[in-house]
Amino acid sequence: MKKFIKYGSLWVMIVFYFNGIRAQELFVFSEPASNMPAKSLGIRASNWLMYNNRGNMLNYQFIPELMWGVNKNLMIHLDGFFTNQGGNFHAVGAGTYAKYRIYSADAVNRHFRMAVYGRLSLNNSVIFQQEIDLTRNNTGYALGLIATQLLHRQAISATIGFNQAYNNGSENKFPPGQAEQAMNFSLSTGRLIFPKEYISYKQTNLNLMLELSGQHLIGDNKNFIDLAPAVQFIFNSQTRLDVGYKFQLYSDMQRVAPNGFMIRMEHLLFNVF
Amino acid sequence: MKSLHIYMLVFGLFMQSVASSQIQSVSLQASGLTCSMCSRAIYKSLKKLPSVAKVQEDIAHSSYHIQFKDAQKVSLADLKKAVLDAGFSVAWMEVKANFNNVEVANDSALQLDDFTFFFVDIQKQKLNGERKLLILDKDYLLEKDRKKYAGTYESKTAATDGDRIFHVTLPQS
């Protein structure tokens, strides 16, 4: 409990630190309640380089993703999961994610938005950790709610979601006795460093992000909390480069590779459909 | 209530002024964003409309100045939809036109291109030269600003065609 209070107060400090400066909500480790523009197509390539607890090996995961703004309220992602697990680089699964904006209150330079999301993932890798991760390790589904507040120059986004994991195909069963259900949460904030003043779409934007995320295993009553700072460049108001470092603050569950880097490129094509 | 609306429409037509000029340009501010990627999404969404010739953006203020290829084909509803499709809202929208001694008063209707504009909250006056008309209808103005005017016109005039009939006022410049 003490640890929760410690991390809670850390978060409050972070929020106050970010108060009064222009913030951004194109988060690196979570999704905001806002959607991408209607009829646009996003192409995303995420590279996870995580230090393996079992040895000195670096776990590499590659997640290519297509994102489609169906209309102003609905967006759909399709992603593939690749890994170097076992020594050779190979595909382990695929997934789909949909986000629907359910509430929007806009004013100049501010908004409050809420969205619901769902994820369906198929994965055939070996399950050797208690953490449920539907983008890298587990077959299953997730359902959740996102709320994002952009207030003057500060953005805060919170996510809460339910995860259900299943067997990873017929060969890699879900370990018996291990919790198959989990609640995920995240709290994120971001800050624009450059430019100080917007003049042109060609200006490179530099954003700093800080995100807190965690999981509670239902039944096992085990938890982890991670903190992830990230730096984000936006080129030509169209292409994103994110570099983030995620590390474990607290955990009483077994995790294989909680610490490491994520490097992502994302390109947005407007008015494709 | 319906007969009152019809009466007001007829009354409106009776009071109607026909301006010889066309819509010159439209300016709008979008709300709900701060980032340039968001701003560019709106820019691209406005730019792809067939009637739009040029969009000048002011990223710092999330505002856009829109010029048209053919003023006859302008659709204010399409401009609004372009902002909504990009994921944001319209904070305000102003139509700019040139006038030559056109008399307007509260509840009077002005015919401009294919549009009918009903005036709200103005002094009886003659419009001359370049003037801007601020649109007061729902989704064209921030809700808190719209509420200042809504009570004064909604019970009086029937604007039934969401794309062609609008309520406007003269913004203080």
Side-chain angles (χ1 to χ4, degrees), chain A residues 2 17 19 24 48 69 76 98 107 139 149 153 170 189 193 201 228 230 270-271:
Chain A
K2 264 186 182 170
Y17 170 66
N19 195 5
Q24 300 297 325
W48 292 81
I76 294 172
T139 291
Q149 173 80 66
R153 293 172 165 215
S170 53
T189 192
I193 303 297
Y201 291 135
F270 298 99
N271 304 323

Side-chain angles (χ1 to χ4, degrees), chain A residues 48-55 57-61 128-131 133 136-137 226 246-248 253-261:
Chain A
W48 292 81
L49 294 154
M50 308 300 275
Y51 301 104
N52 196 322
N53 284 343
R54 294 176 153 196
M57 200 182 130
L58 201 64
N59 279 14
Y60 173 61
Q61 273 133 344
F128 37 65
Q129 64 175 6
Q130 289 178 313
E131 176 189 354
D133 186 342
R136 291 181 289 158
N137 279 116
D226 289 343
K246 196 175 166 91
F247 62 97
Q248 181 173 288
M253 71 174 82
Q254 190 222 336
R255 305 171 79 195
V256 171
N259 304 319
F261 287 92

Side-chain angles (χ1 to χ4, degrees), chain B residues 27-153:
Chain B
S27 295
L28 66 87
Q29 185 182 29
S31 64
L33 67 145
T34 56
C35 78
S36 70
M37 208 168 182
C38 310
S39 173
R40 186 152 187 219
I42 298 169
Y43 173 86
K44 286 277 188 180
S45 192
L46 289 168
K47 197 83 205 310
K48 74 158 189 202
L49 294 175
S51 62
V52 170
K54 196 179 171 194
V55 180
Q56 282 172 281
E57 76 282 5
D58 175 355
I59 309 167
H61 298 99
S62 314
S63 58
Y64 305 83
H65 184 67
I66 303 143
Q67 286 166 308
F68 303 97
K69 289 174 191 157
D70 181 358
Q72 300 286 349
K73 290 181 183 149
V74 173
S75 162
L76 300 180
D78 284 351
L79 295 176
K80 177 196 72 177
K81 189 174 182 291
V83 176
L84 294 180
D85 278 350
F88 304 97
S89 312
V90 175
W92 52 257
M93 189 188 286
E94 283 178 353
V95 173
K96 197 178 351 174
N98 243 319
F99 297 93
N100 185 12
N101 233 16
V102 178
E103 190 169 297
V104 292
N106 277 343
D107 299 333
S108 72
L110 170 78
Q111 200 74 39
L112 201 63
D113 296 321
D114 280 349
F115 296 101
T116 305
F117 296 111
F118 283 95
F119 281 85
V120 174
D121 199 32
I122 60 163
Q123 304 282 330
K124 187 174 177 180
Q125 59 187 284
K126 283 185 176 166
L127 297 180
N128 273 304
E130 203 174 77
R131 295 299 296 264
K132 289 172 183 168
L133 311 177
L134 175 71
I135 298 179
L136 303 177
D137 293 273
K138 189 168 166 54
D139 296 333
Y140 290 84
L141 188 64
L142 279 180
E143 213 39 35
K144 72 174 173 62
D145 295 329
R146 202 181 75 84
K147 278 179 185 156
K148 289 180 210 160
Y149 299 97
T152 63
Y153 71 80

